[in-house]
Amino acid sequence: TRLSSGLSGNPFLAPPVTRPYVHRGQWGGYTASFDPEAAGVGIDTFVAALAAEGLEVAARGYHPLLHRAEFFRTADDGYYPGQPWHEKRLYNDGDLPRSEWHADRQIAFPIFLDEPVELVDAYVRAVHKVAGHIEELRAAGAANSLPQ
């Protein structure tokens, strides 16, 4: 896609990959993988900078991981009666570390179905603009973490 081509080559933001032997009929969503270690800033800082440029993006994908939903974190949900044979499995952060690691590095972009290519190109330019100012984001993050 045009967005993937525009994002490729970024040292800390990788577009999704479709392997040559796979046919992709459609995108169910479009997320790019963010590498906070390479960027030197957290995903929330980077996404906030993208949003400040007018991009509609979301940190950690479109939806939270299912095990992070309230239904799977509390026993009192009205569906499972307190029966010894009907015990509900509850989840906490850290229970699915690989899934959490992957999901916590995803930035969700619009799917861009019928939008003009100029809009996609504007997204690519904005990402490059923010990436080009990554040192300023790092400095701002360091300044914000200093004790007051």
Side-chain angles (χ1 to χ4, degrees):
T1 71
R2 191 175 190 99
L3 183 58
S4 290
S5 296
L7 296 180
S8 64
N10 186 302
F12 44 83
L13 188 64
V17 175
T18 302
R19 303 285 179 215
Y21 51 86
V22 175
H23 174 76
R24 183 184 297 274
Q26 61 92 22
W27 295 92
Y30 186 99
T31 59
S33 297
F34 179 73
D35 184 346
E37 290 81 16
V41 299
I43 192 169
D44 294 317
T45 300
F46 192 77
V47 166
L50 293 176
E53 292 297 318
L55 275 61
E56 293 184 20
V57 292
R60 294 170 196 82
Y62 298 99
H63 309 285
L65 292 173
L66 194 55
H67 79 285
R68 288 179 168 167
E70 188 63 27
F71 179 83
F72 294 103
R73 291 179 172 256
T74 180
D76 186 19
D77 59 23
Y79 289 100
Y80 286 88
Q83 305 296 331
W85 62 86
H86 218 305
E87 187 174 334
K88 180 180 175 184
R89 166 77 160 93
L90 300 180
Y91 293 88
N92 296 299
D93 281 337
D95 285 347
L96 301 172
R98 295 299 296 162
S99 296
E100 293 167 13
W101 181 91
H102 177 75
D104 289 344
R105 294 171 184 278
Q106 299 305 301
I107 297 177
F109 286 82
I111 299 174
F112 296 120
L113 297 175
D114 295 321
E115 290 77 9
V117 295
E118 293 81 12
L119 180 60
V120 178
D121 291 343
Y123 265 70
V124 170
R125 282 192 307 275
V127 169
H128 286 290
K129 179 180 177 182
V130 171
H133 291 274
I134 198 70
E135 291 296 330
E136 295 169 41
L137 289 176
R138 288 177 189 150
N144 289 336
S145 66
L146 294 176
Q148 299 297 327

